[in-house]
Amino acid sequence: MTIQDQIKEYINSQPEPKRNDMMVLHHNILELLPNCKLWFLDGKDSEGKIVSNPNIGYGAYTISYTDGTTKEFYRIGISANTTGISVYIMGIDDKTYLAQAFGEKIGRAKVTGYCIKFKALKDIHIEVLKTAIQYGFAQDS
């Protein structure tokens, strides 16, 4: 199964209205980042144990660990969770930036160092979310 098929299957497996919100968000991100690398993480570790919610990823950057090893990972990610949707913006050095820059403008969302979590798209200002995604994608690897 292709990554695009896995993404489509994952989005279609969500209950409404989350399914529609995930589809709209996916298409919005693809409009912002049309030629980016796509990822699908099923949330399972190497032994098949579920360790996280499945994630759709966009773009790529290199994570550098303190032991000198590196790993390629997505720059922007989205995931359905029990209470709504999480948008991950990876690779931002200043862990206070998202909350300071977008927290008060985005609407009803919880904004942490790398995650914007909300119940439904109707609860947030989508243009503010798009600006946060563009900011995240523009960060140096």
Side-chain angles (χ1 to χ4, degrees):
M1 187 182 298
T2 68
I3 290 174
Q4 287 87 347
D5 288 339
Q6 289 175 306
I7 291 169
K8 186 177 181 181
E9 186 175 278
Y10 173 59
I11 291 172
N12 287 337
S13 74
Q14 301 304 312
E16 285 296 356
K18 194 182 297 186
R19 177 184 317 140
N20 187 64
D21 282 357
M22 291 283 290
M23 185 75 67
V24 167
L25 194 50
H26 177 64
H27 287 294
N28 274 300
I29 295 171
L30 290 177
E31 285 178 9
L32 292 172
L33 316 168
N35 298 312
C36 70
K37 179 177 180 174
L38 287 177
W39 301 66
F40 182 76
L41 289 92
D42 63 7
K44 297 176 184 171
D45 67 11
S46 59
E47 291 148 20
K49 181 180 171 190
I50 296 175
V51 294
S52 71
N53 290 325
N55 285 259
I56 301 169
Y58 308 86
Y61 85 108
T62 302
I63 299 171
S64 297
Y65 295 101
T66 53
D67 67 1
T69 60
T70 60
K71 172 182 161 184
E72 186 181 53
F73 201 64
Y74 60 71
R75 174 66 75 181
I76 307 296
I78 64 173
S79 179
N81 58 58
T82 54
T83 59
I85 298 170
S86 295
V87 176
Y88 304 103
I89 302 176
M90 308 301 288
I92 298 174
D93 290 332
D94 181 353
K95 297 302 178 204
T96 65
Y97 181 80
L98 284 181
Q100 289 175 354
F102 306 105
E104 291 187 20
K105 298 183 231 171
I106 200 157
R108 291 187 6 219
K110 180 178 180 181
V111 183
T112 65
Y114 67 92
C115 182
I116 300 171
K117 191 177 195 177
F118 49 91
K119 184 173 178 156
L121 283 178
K122 67 179 176 51
D123 297 331
I124 64 163
H125 301 287
I126 189 72
E127 293 304 317
V128 174
L129 180 62
K130 286 180 181 180
T131 301
I133 289 168
Q134 287 173 310
Y135 170 81
F137 199 70
Q139 297 308 293
D140 292 330
S141 303

